Amino acid sequence: MKENKITDSIIYIGVDDKEMDLFENQYITPNGVSYNSYVILDDKIAILDTVDDRKTDEWFKKLEEVLKEKEPNYLIVSHMEPDHSANIEKLANKYPNMKVIATLQAHKMISQFFEMNLGDRAITVSEGNTINLGKHELQFIMAPMVHWPEVMFTYDKTDKVLFSADGFGKFGTLDTDEDWDCEARRYYFNIVGKYGANVQAVLKKAANLDIKTICPLHGSILDKNLEHYINKYDIWSKYEPEDEGVFIAYASIHGNTEKAAKKMAEILKQKGAKKVVLADLARSDMAEAIEDAFRYSKLVVASSTYNMGIFTWMEHFLLSLKAKNYQNRTVGIIENGFWGPVGGKLMEEMFTNMKDISICEPLITIKSAMKQENIVEMEKLADELIK
Ligand code: FEO
């Protein structure tokens, strides 16, 4: 992207937020986050989305530099989550002739978030509607639940650019040099992951378009090797494992469950498991652990019993997996308990409520500390997991 130009007439006016520590007040963002926004300069001028309230002044400055005293004709609203919609009212007040293009549901949300009444400035669009800016013809593609119900993508038929709302977004500011897959995967499974069927539906629509550039609302503008990103989204939204391997997530109170989890990893490696990844749920980024559970083909959970239930971190992890629609995986279970181990049965019940989870035998019960008999059982579990 040269001088913030996506193409000669599509200009990037998004902003980086390096101070953001917890996106949505829950996901750590060590490299911040970007709120992407775009302007199409044509006979008619369209702005695509605003930015988070945290960056209002910087965004307006960039917008004014691009507009050069001209007035925008349209604001196109892809998504009403406040990281993109926070400045709609300010923008509409500043440019009283500007029309606001959005889905019916987005317009309802505009009246929920703001006091203003757009009246005849509100243009409601639905699947396949188009608008002509002069040279640019824009087509609107409904993308409900990617990530909220009012979401739509916009396809610029002229420059072959797909504005994909949160789709294909990632954590990290635009100037961060980091792997796309890792932070896009963490973003996808934690934010959009529950709605795989909806992502599949919009990918099918996108497959009929000739796309040269994907412009998401967060993270890098994608203009090379698009098959790579589309293929990742296809795998993720079908809930297929991305990599063959075993992810071992453990929640240990005094270290004995941790020792068992590490022994399990050692046995799996000895038996030839392609990849084994361990996470201490008490200390790991929970969003990263969720991402890894979806990434790998097999999952082992090892948890202490606590208050006659599942130890806090594991319970949170499993509830999150259920909430994100975790499915289609093979799972092994290790429980530990000092006097009444019940965590294993409870974890099994939680997996029973998820779709297409195959639980391997044996369910391993450790009573306080791992013994030789547990190691023998772990060998059997490892055989089952990697057969
Ligand atoms: Fe980036 Fe769902 O908002």
Side-chain angles (χ1 to χ4, degrees):
M1 186 169 60
K2 277 187 192 157
E3 296 162 351
N4 290 333
K5 281 189 167 183
I6 310 291
T7 67
D8 282 345
S9 48
I10 302 179
I11 317 295
Y12 178 81
I13 56 161
V15 288
D16 279 345
D17 185 349
K18 290 175 194 276
E19 298 83 40
M20 167 61 75
D21 58 345
L22 277 184
F23 184 76
E24 288 187 357
N25 225 10
Q26 55 181 322
Y27 304 115
I28 59 163
T29 45
N31 292 319
V33 68
S34 71
Y35 313 115
N36 297 350
S37 166
Y38 308 89
V39 176
I40 303 177
L41 296 171
D42 203 335
D43 298 343
K44 300 257 173 73
I45 296 174
I47 300 169
L48 289 103
D49 294 292
T50 76
V51 300
D52 195 280
D53 200 23
R54 296 160 57 89
K55 293 289 169 185
T56 297
D57 294 345
E58 193 179 332
W59 178 72
F60 268 105
K61 190 165 174 283
K62 281 187 161 193
L63 174 64
E64 283 157 22
E65 279 168 13
V66 169
L67 290 178
K68 295 191 176 77
E69 313 273 308
K70 289 188 188 139
E71 296 232 338
N73 301 87
Y74 302 110
L75 168 68
I76 297 170
V77 177
S78 304
H79 181 19
M80 278 303 295
E81 196 164 11
D83 50 333
H84 313 291
S85 68
N87 284 289
I88 291 177
E89 187 170 30
K90 286 191 185 103
L91 187 72
N93 288 341
K94 187 173 166 71
Y95 299 108
N97 296 317
M98 182 190 75
K99 296 202 166 18
V100 178
I101 300 176
T103 60
L104 183 61
Q105 196 137 14
H107 278 301
K108 280 185 193 155
M109 287 183 182
I110 288 174
S111 56
Q112 288 170 199
F113 275 108
F114 305 108
E115 294 298 335
M116 66 180 173
N117 180 359
L118 285 169
D120 62 4
R121 296 170 64 195
I123 299 178
T124 301
V125 289
S126 54
E127 186 70 50
N129 288 169
T130 57
I131 188 160
N132 209 302
L133 302 178
K135 291 193 186 74
H136 292 258
E137 189 180 6
L138 307 181
Q139 178 186 338
F140 302 108
I141 297 161
M142 301 302 107
M145 301 319 296
V146 186
H147 138 238
W148 279 13
E150 84 298 355
V151 171
M152 68 175 187
F153 290 5
T154 299
Y155 176 61
D156 181 337
K157 292 180 168 186
T158 313
D159 284 356
K160 307 194 187 317
V161 175
L162 181 69
F163 297 93
S164 59
D166 276 344
F168 300 96
K170 69 180 272 295
F171 298 119
T173 55
L174 242 57
D175 61 357
T176 308
D177 184 16
E178 65 183 356
D179 181 49
W180 184 89
D181 291 7
C182 186
E183 281 299 72
R185 188 191 299 107
R186 190 168 71 96
Y187 179 92
Y188 175 82
F189 281 114
N190 286 281
I191 291 178
V192 193
K194 182 179 172 69
Y195 303 108
N198 300 75
V199 174
Q200 275 290 306
V202 80
L203 283 179
K204 286 198 172 70
K205 290 190 242 179
N208 298 320
L209 306 174
D210 178 12
I211 302 168
K212 285 210 170 84
T213 308
I214 298 176
C215 291
L217 286 176
H218 299 287
S220 328
I221 314 305
L222 307 172
D223 57 4
K224 289 180 193 69
N225 197 14
L226 296 191
E227 313 80 62
H228 172 83
Y229 308 106
I230 292 168
N231 183 42
K232 290 289 177 201
Y233 255 60
D234 190 38
I235 293 169
W236 298 343
S237 56
K238 282 180 181 156
Y239 300 98
E240 287 173 355
E242 185 180 347
D243 289 317
E244 195 57 44
V246 187
F247 177 52
I248 304 177
Y250 63 89
S252 183
I253 303 173
H254 297 290
N256 287 300
T257 306
E258 179 174 18
K259 275 185 198 152
K262 288 182 172 167
K263 185 69 188 174
M264 189 71 212
E266 191 187 306
I267 293 168
L268 281 162
K269 281 182 203 157
Q270 279 165 359
K271 286 184 177 286
K274 234 175 163 182
K275 181 144 192 199
V276 181
V277 175
L278 271 160
D280 173 0
L281 295 178
R283 286 175 181 75
S284 305
D285 166 22
M286 191 57 79
E288 182 92 27
I290 287 161
E291 170 197 344
D292 280 337
F294 280 98
R295 177 175 183 177
Y296 294 105
S297 52
K298 315 279 164 65
L299 170 68
V300 173
V301 288
S303 178
S304 310
T305 296
Y306 187 66
N307 287 336
M308 294 312 284
I310 305 165
F311 187 35
T312 320
W313 310 113
M314 180 60 76
E315 187 173 37
H316 178 36
F317 175 65
L318 294 177
L319 286 171
S320 300
L321 286 186
K322 168 73 181 152
K324 311 293 178 197
N325 223 348
Y326 187 70
Q327 56 184 271
N328 188 33
R329 294 291 187 281
T330 304
V331 172
I333 298 175
I334 301 172
E335 66 173 345
N336 191 0
F338 305 116
W339 62 91
V342 294
K345 188 170 167 291
L346 295 172
M347 286 191 279
E348 195 171 14
E349 278 171 17
M350 289 180 83
F351 281 116
T352 309
N353 290 324
M354 300 180 206
K355 200 176 151 196
D356 296 333
I357 300 290
S358 156
I359 297 178
C360 291
E361 298 287 339
L363 189 158
I364 295 168
T365 301
I366 293 163
K367 291 189 176 152
S368 302
M370 179 174 59
K371 296 286 163 47
Q372 185 53 37
E373 70 211 47
N374 299 130
I375 295 172
V376 172
E377 286 184 315
M378 282 184 205
E379 303 259 357
K380 285 188 201 153
L381 178 60
D383 287 339
E384 281 298 306
L385 281 163
I386 59 175
K387 78 177 179 191

